[in-house]
Amino acid sequence: MSTHKILMLPGDGIGPEVMAETGRVIDWLNGQTGHSFETESDLVGGSAYDAHGEAISESAMDKAMAADAVLFGAVGGPKWDAVPYEKRPEAGLLRLRKDLDLFANLRPAICYPALASSSSLRPEVIEGLDILILRELTGGVYFGEPKEIVTLENGEKRAVDTQLYTTHEIERIARVAFEIARTRGNRVTSMEKRNVMRSGVLWHEVVSAVHKSEYSDVKLDHMLADAGGMQLVRWPKQFDVIVTDNLFGDMLSDVAAMLTGSLGMLPSASLGAPDEATGKRKAMYEPVHGSAPDIAGQGKANPIAMIASLAMCLRYSFGQGEAADLVEGAIADVLADGIVTADIAAKGQNAVSTGEMGQAIVKAMGKRAG
Ligand code: NAD
């Protein structure tokens, strides 16, 4: 049995509270046969700035580079609003994404039956929903050069952003999409705007070529990204894995996120390229939500997004699908028993604390494991 090294970076606000519950789940798994996780913690964000004057220290970065996976809580808060731009809490998160070269962002949208009535869509549209949006994270219009605002001779200003993708960048995200699809419903829908964008033409061409040469066992469809947005709210269950670029992925993943209700429920993963020698990918797992300063320190935070991020870590970094199923199944059991935190409580339903939710999930794991 190999030991997996996890670096925990709880961060600010509710980050440490939800990370503590994730630690509880890891401790439980470590008590079972077949699991061995070694964890260490460090500072990131505002708490790192307070301690070291930087949003992440070099030694924390070294630990992140050496870890098999990073679990990240959340950073930021009003306390650090006046911190210099390059030292702001988010700089720690951006440095991690950049230095670990995390180009693939995975956002599942799962609708637990017990929460189907809290979505803005009709329950039958989202009940049992289990889709995954894969967003290219390090290329495209957010990074392409030129990126500037220039003043023209007539005094008018002109702003330019550049949508830019190379074959290599599209190939590597397409491979992640097909690999993940093979572990799920075996279907990929690729979204771009090839009707109006040259980058969309290349995207379509390259995804099709990778599919034909390496993954013809996976079903591939193409959809224009605007139509994709519409289909996501019309009948989201038609999808399995959606792969798209940085800009469209940013928007489509937020749309998909809201299908399932609260921010406190949404995990995410960011993966890098496989190491040539070991085949292991650098990876970071984090809830979609922020540091929620409005409820920090009150025991009100929902730890499910963070715990479900650990489940993604088990599945995608450690190949432990069964353990991931156990964690996700326990979350579903707890919700089905009507155990909810304040953010997902229906009117008149009693809410449990962050710690009580963590305990309930661990207990449900124990029950499932027999
Ligand atoms: P937020 O996600 O922190 O909170 C939005 C709302 O959702 C708040 O009302 C909050 O109480 C609630 N909420 C969020 N997570 C919850 C949970 N787990 N359980 C229960 N309720 C939850 O977003 P915001 O208020 O816009 O930002 C607050 C701070 O977080 C800012 O400093 C922002 O820059 C930062 N932020 C960080 C990240 C990150 O670290 N990845 C992401 C988004 C925002």
Side-chain angles (χ1 to χ4, degrees), residues 107 109 119-121 126 129 131 133 225 228-234 236 248-261 266:
R107 280 224 215 160
S119 167
S120 56
L121 296 185
I126 46 113
L129 179 74
I131 63 175
I133 310 254
M230 198 178 69
Q231 290 299 332
L232 258 180
V233 283
R234 193 186 71 82
F248 296 138
D250 197 359
M251 292 187 277
L252 293 171
S253 61
D254 270 17
V255 172
M258 277 303 101
L259 298 175
T260 62
L266 297 167

Side-chain angles (χ1 to χ4, degrees), residues 14 74-77 90 93 263-264 286 289-295 301-302 343:
I14 61 168
V75 292
E90 289 76 9
L93 178 57
L263 262 177
E286 57 182 308
H289 62 72
S291 57
D294 54 331
I295 56 165
N302 183 349
D343 57 312

